[in-house]
Amino acid sequence: KASLIHTGRSRQDIFATLNQARLRLSFLDFAQALNEFRDELMAIAKEHTETWMPAYTNGVQAMPITFGFYLWAFLESFERDFDRIQSAWSRVNQSALGSAVLANSSWPLSRERLADLLGFDAPIKNALDSSQVSLFDVPLEAASIASNIAVRITTLMQDLAQQYSQTRPWLLLDSSAAYGSSAMPQKRNPGIVNKTRAKAGDVIGAAQTAYIRAHNLQLGMYDNKESVSEDNAAVFVQGVHMLQLARWAFQMLKVDRKRALEELDDDWTCTMALAETLQHEYAVPFRVGHNFASGMVTVARREGYLPKTFPYAKAVEIYREVAERFGWERSELPLTEAQLRETLGAEYVVRTRVGTGSPAPDCVQEGLSDSEKRLQADHQWLNDKRAHLDACDKRLDELFAALMK
């Protein structure tokens, strides 16, 4: 009777099925770590829908936004990652069992029943694909999701590091997340940021290792069959660690709202609003308004003025010169000094952004509400998958117990 246990089975399909089972559990662990990180970002974003901060392009201040808007952008990107996880799950959670070495056996085994008993959604239909070919593309697809996320984790960490390294940063870390220097007593190095960024690099490297092990192989070789698993490249083990570190980094984050606004006030990030306001409110041609704003910045940087200290009389003079140069008949600046100062303020600029997805606080709050609902649904999806696997394990144990009676 013991020999019947081995009937219709091969080390090849058992090994493939084991790898599929290990992959799906690691994949769910990674998905859970991603959701927990999203929870942390969501909580912080909701607190900072009116925390004004600069956004950067090419490493230079570009426009004022809010910290909540910034985090919402990443939250949306992680929603797309969960879409990828859900899509990939339909391929990750398929079974090779019953395909024997690579072409089934002479025993009339129900591969559908085997898949169902083990909690898989279905068997991979073609036997050769199930035990040999699928071990190339399915693990690599899953690994690519982890490495894709890791790239954006490095971006988040670099943005934190950029602010933290300033003389007067507006993003700080709790002292427990930083470490000192053995030689320089003033230093508080951003240890958690550095560790997270390094671990993200490990995830990207591990995924590339899996690709390299899989390439240029003839079918049926061993090299790639465990490449992403915990005892080889460990893509998802390292991915979970990366997301846990990233979550900790944001838990340790301290935001100085006043200093963030000063960062904006110390530069000319809001000057685009001058051209827009002149065009919207006074029908001034955009090229006149744009050249006026650019002229103000040129003079300000040459003579050391900030938006709050730029002489109003000088602004009037620059506007007149630009209007005459472009043949605009209304050469008197239509903005009062108070209006000019307001237009150059971060809060004014952010609140006047309109349209779907703008950084205006009301828009961000609405967007975060939608993202939070989506996050709750993603938590439920994950809980349902785990509950299904647990129920299948319990049912299988019961069936074995009944068989042994």
Side-chain angles (χ1 to χ4, degrees), residues 51-66:
T51 298
W52 325 110
M53 61 164 276
Y56 297 82
T57 59
N58 297 299
V60 179
Q61 282 197 32
M63 291 186 67
I65 57 172
T66 70

Side-chain angles (χ1 to χ4, degrees), residues 145-166:
I145 296 172
S147 62
N148 191 338
I149 292 171
V151 170
R152 269 161 292 133
I153 294 296
T154 66
T155 299
L156 278 166
M157 293 303 110
Q158 280 296 92
D159 283 356
L160 296 185
Q162 179 193 38
Q163 289 303 322
Y164 187 86
S165 64
Q166 301 302 309

Side-chain angles (χ1 to χ4, degrees), residues 212-273:
I212 291 169
R213 287 186 62 167
H215 97 292
N216 203 29
L217 289 178
Q218 66 189 68
L219 197 61
M221 301 301 288
Y222 168 79
D223 307 43
N224 68 299
K225 291 184 177 180
E226 293 182 291
S227 60
V228 304
S229 64
E230 58 269 25
D231 46 3
N232 286 282
V235 175
F236 298 106
V237 173
Q238 298 199 75
V240 168
H241 190 195
M242 170 193 71
L243 290 167
Q244 289 171 338
L245 287 171
R247 185 183 181 195
W248 183 27
F250 276 90
Q251 286 174 339
M252 297 295 104
L253 201 63
K254 295 181 180 297
V255 181
D256 187 335
R257 290 179 170 88
K258 182 179 178 182
R259 177 69 193 108
L261 181 57
E262 287 178 4
E263 190 83 1
L264 286 163
D265 290 341
D266 287 346
D267 206 342
W268 288 82
T269 310
C270 301
T271 48
M272 188 178 75

Side-chain angles (χ1 to χ4, degrees), residues 16-30 88-89 91-94 120 134-135 137-143 225 228-230 235-236:
T17 305
L18 174 62
N19 281 332
Q20 291 158 340
R22 293 167 74 192
L23 174 61
R24 71 180 178 184
L25 291 179
S26 296
F27 200 46
L28 291 180
D29 289 344
F30 181 78
W89 180 256
R91 292 173 288 281
V92 167
N93 198 39
Q94 291 194 338
F120 290 101
S134 68
L135 297 183
D137 68 288
V138 175
L140 292 181
E141 178 186 7
K225 291 184 177 180
V228 304
S229 64
E230 58 269 25
V235 175
F236 298 106

Side-chain angles (χ1 to χ4, degrees), residues 115-332:
D116 179 62
L117 287 171
L118 293 175
F120 290 101
D121 294 332
I124 298 174
K125 187 170 291 186
N126 181 283
L128 179 61
D129 182 19
S130 70
S131 64
Q132 305 296 334
V133 181
S134 68
L135 297 183
F136 284 91
D137 68 288
V138 175
L140 292 181
E141 178 186 7
S144 71
I145 296 172
S147 62
N148 191 338
I149 292 171
V151 170
R152 269 161 292 133
I153 294 296
T154 66
T155 299
L156 278 166
M157 293 303 110
Q158 280 296 92
D159 283 356
L160 296 185
Q162 179 193 38
Q163 289 303 322
Y164 187 86
S165 64
Q166 301 302 309
T167 305
R168 295 182 60 235
W170 58 270
L171 286 178
L172 292 166
L173 294 169
D174 185 86
S175 59
S176 64
Y179 63 92
S181 166
S182 60
M184 295 163 283
Q186 81 283 4
K187 292 198 72 179
R188 299 294 183 272
N189 298 311
I192 185 61
V193 171
N194 296 341
K195 288 180 179 178
T196 306
R197 186 175 57 230
K199 184 52 64 176
D202 290 342
V203 173
I204 295 168
Q208 292 306 308
T209 296
Y211 271 89
I212 291 169
R213 287 186 62 167
H215 97 292
N216 203 29
L217 289 178
Q218 66 189 68
L219 197 61
M221 301 301 288
Y222 168 79
D223 307 43
N224 68 299
K225 291 184 177 180
E226 293 182 291
S227 60
V228 304
S229 64
E230 58 269 25
D231 46 3
N232 286 282
V235 175
F236 298 106
V237 173
Q238 298 199 75
V240 168
H241 190 195
M242 170 193 71
L243 290 167
Q244 289 171 338
L245 287 171
R247 185 183 181 195
W248 183 27
F250 276 90
Q251 286 174 339
M252 297 295 104
L253 201 63
K254 295 181 180 297
V255 181
D256 187 335
R257 290 179 170 88
K258 182 179 178 182
R259 177 69 193 108
L261 181 57
E262 287 178 4
E263 190 83 1
L264 286 163
D265 290 341
D266 287 346
D267 206 342
W268 288 82
T269 310
C270 301
T271 48
M272 188 178 75
L274 273 180
E276 291 181 344
T277 299
L278 289 169
Q279 185 177 29
H280 287 167
E281 303 298 330
Y282 304 100
V284 174
F286 182 79
R287 65 174 182 170
V288 173
H290 186 278
N291 278 270
F292 163 60
S294 179
M296 283 186 64
V297 173
T298 298
V299 172
R301 288 182 172 160
R302 183 178 66 233
E303 301 182 15
Y305 294 120
L306 297 176
K308 290 184 177 180
T309 63
F310 196 92
Y312 178 70
K314 195 174 288 289
V316 170
E317 178 185 332
I318 293 171
Y319 182 84
R320 181 179 296 110
E321 184 276 324
V322 170
E324 291 174 354
R325 179 167 19 116
F326 287 102
W328 177 242
E329 63 275 12
R330 298 200 293 271
S331 60
E332 183 176 344

